[in-house]
């Protein structure tokens, strides 16, 4: 069997060479993502909101398990033997579902928006409960609009996987597009855009926490060696 470059004996086939990604390569990838996210946020600040799609793609890598591959934050924690825990507080929808608030509030609610990520690194947070950052991000029922509830994971997946990130789907569920309406704006960003923007900033802060730990080996409020 002959190719343009190599010749192998008849009936044989070259062995597939598998390269293992080193811990340092994982770490370098993490730092590269931080640098790109900072650049993308700067562009959004200058009015180029299309870069929110690029931010969603980076968060998809950092925080969402895809095709059997752990999110990068999880892989980094396992390779460098630490946990990154963040503060969290329950959303209004979670409080209603667990009985902390009356269910009648749901009937009166037009929109409930709670960005759990904004509390991740707030050491003055009234809630002292902490979760692994990946678990905190993947919590359900963070936003309620009418009868629909949304997780941040769903918002990121919709943008990164269906709306021009990894590819463009011909059909996106009407319910998934609700948060992209300009009927509700927070600082000139609709709800989905605000989630991507604010959570991206907190992801950068998370990477900075990891960077300090890996470079100095000192634990902190948020980093616990295992």
């Amino acid at each position: 069997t002959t190719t343009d470059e190599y010749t192998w004996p008849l009936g044989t086939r070259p062995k597939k060479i598998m390269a293992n990604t080193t811990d340092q390569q994982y770490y370098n990838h993490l730092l590269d993502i931080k640098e790109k996210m900072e650049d993308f946020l700067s562009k959004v600040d200058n009015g180029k909101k299309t870069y929110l799609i690029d931010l969603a793609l980076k968060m998809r890598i950092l925080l969402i398990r895809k095709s059997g591959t752990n999110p990068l934050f999880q892989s980094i924690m396992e390779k460098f033997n630490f946990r990154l825990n963040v503060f969290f507080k329950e959303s209004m929808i979670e409080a209603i579902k667990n009985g902390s608030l009356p269910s009648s509030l749901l009937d009166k609610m037009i929109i409930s928006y709670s960005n759990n990520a904004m509390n991740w690194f707030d050491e003055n947070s009234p809630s002292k409960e902490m979760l692994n950052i990946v678990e905190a991000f993947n919590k359900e029922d963070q936003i309620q609009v009418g009868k629909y509830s949304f997780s941040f994971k769903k918002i990121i997946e919709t943008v990164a996987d269906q709306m021009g990130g990894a590819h463009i789907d011909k059909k996106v569920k009407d319910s998934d597009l609700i948060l992209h309406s300009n009927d509700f704006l927070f600082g000139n960003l609709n709800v989905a855009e605000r989630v991507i923007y604010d959570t991206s900033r907190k992801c950068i802060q998370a990477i900075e926490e990891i960077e300090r730990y890996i470079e100095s080996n000192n634990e902190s409020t948020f980093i616990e060696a295992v």
Side-chain angles (χ1 to χ4, degrees):
T1 303
T2 304
T3 70
D4 290 340
E5 297 182 7
Y6 301 105
T7 301
W8 296 288
L10 187 63
T12 66
R13 181 172 298 191
K15 292 182 179 179
K16 186 176 182 181
I17 299 173
M18 299 295 289
N20 292 321
T21 305
T22 66
D23 293 355
Q24 186 64 43
Q25 286 171 317
Y26 272 91
Y27 181 48
N28 290 344
H29 185 35
L30 185 72
L31 298 183
D32 180 69
I33 285 177
K34 184 188 79 166
E35 184 176 323
K36 286 185 168 63
M37 290 181 81
E38 288 171 336
D39 289 344
F40 297 154
L41 282 166
S42 176
K43 291 182 183 300
V44 175
D45 288 339
N46 288 321
K48 298 179 179 179
K49 294 203 295 183
T50 55
Y51 282 91
L52 289 163
I53 293 174
D54 300 277
L55 287 164
L57 276 167
K58 296 304 182 187
M59 280 193 286
R60 179 183 183 271
I61 294 169
L62 292 172
L63 289 159
I64 299 176
R65 181 179 175 84
K66 286 291 181 182
S67 304
T69 300
N70 279 335
L72 185 57
F73 275 146
Q74 191 65 43
S75 295
I76 289 285
M77 285 188 274
E78 291 172 0
K79 288 182 175 298
F80 289 90
N81 301 309
F82 70 89
R83 292 193 189 97
L84 173 58
N85 299 315
V86 295
F87 291 114
F88 79 96
K89 67 177 183 178
E90 64 184 7
S91 67
M92 184 180 291
I93 308 307
E94 290 175 304
I96 291 171
K97 288 190 173 182
N98 67 28
S100 300
L101 290 174
S103 58
S104 58
L105 286 176
L106 274 177
D107 299 329
K108 303 173 184 177
M109 191 179 297
I110 298 174
I111 181 170
S112 171
Y113 171 80
S114 172
N115 190 337
N116 193 25
M118 299 303 290
N119 300 291
W120 282 356
F121 301 103
D122 181 8
E123 297 196 54
N124 296 316
S125 171
S127 171
K128 296 304 177 186
E129 292 185 85
M130 300 188 84
L131 271 180
N132 176 294
I133 189 171
V134 176
E135 294 176 25
F137 174 80
N138 282 277
K139 286 169 67 68
E140 299 292 333
D141 302 319
Q142 296 301 296
I143 298 173
Q144 185 88 11
V145 180
K147 64 180 180 180
Y148 299 104
S149 64
F150 303 88
S151 65
F152 289 169
K153 176 185 175 183
K154 183 60 179 174
I155 294 168
I156 300 304
E157 285 181 322
T158 298
V159 173
D161 293 343
Q162 296 181 284
M163 298 179 67
H167 58 271
I168 300 175
D169 282 0
K170 291 182 179 179
K171 292 185 178 180
V172 180
K173 290 181 181 178
D174 288 343
S175 58
D176 291 340
L177 293 175
I178 290 172
L179 301 185
H180 297 267
S181 166
N182 289 330
D183 290 344
F184 302 102
L185 293 177
F186 297 86
N188 203 36
L189 298 174
N190 63 42
V191 178
E193 291 168 343
R194 175 54 60 185
V195 166
I196 294 168
Y197 183 89
D198 288 341
T199 310
S200 292
R201 290 203 173 279
K202 294 303 173 180
C203 283
I204 289 171
Q205 194 170 345
I207 296 172
E208 290 171 345
E209 287 285 338
I210 293 171
E211 188 176 5
R212 278 191 291 270
Y213 173 71
I214 290 177
E215 298 298 332
S216 69
N217 205 34
N218 292 327
E219 296 178 67
S220 69
T221 301
F222 306 102
I223 300 282
E224 173 190 8
V226 294

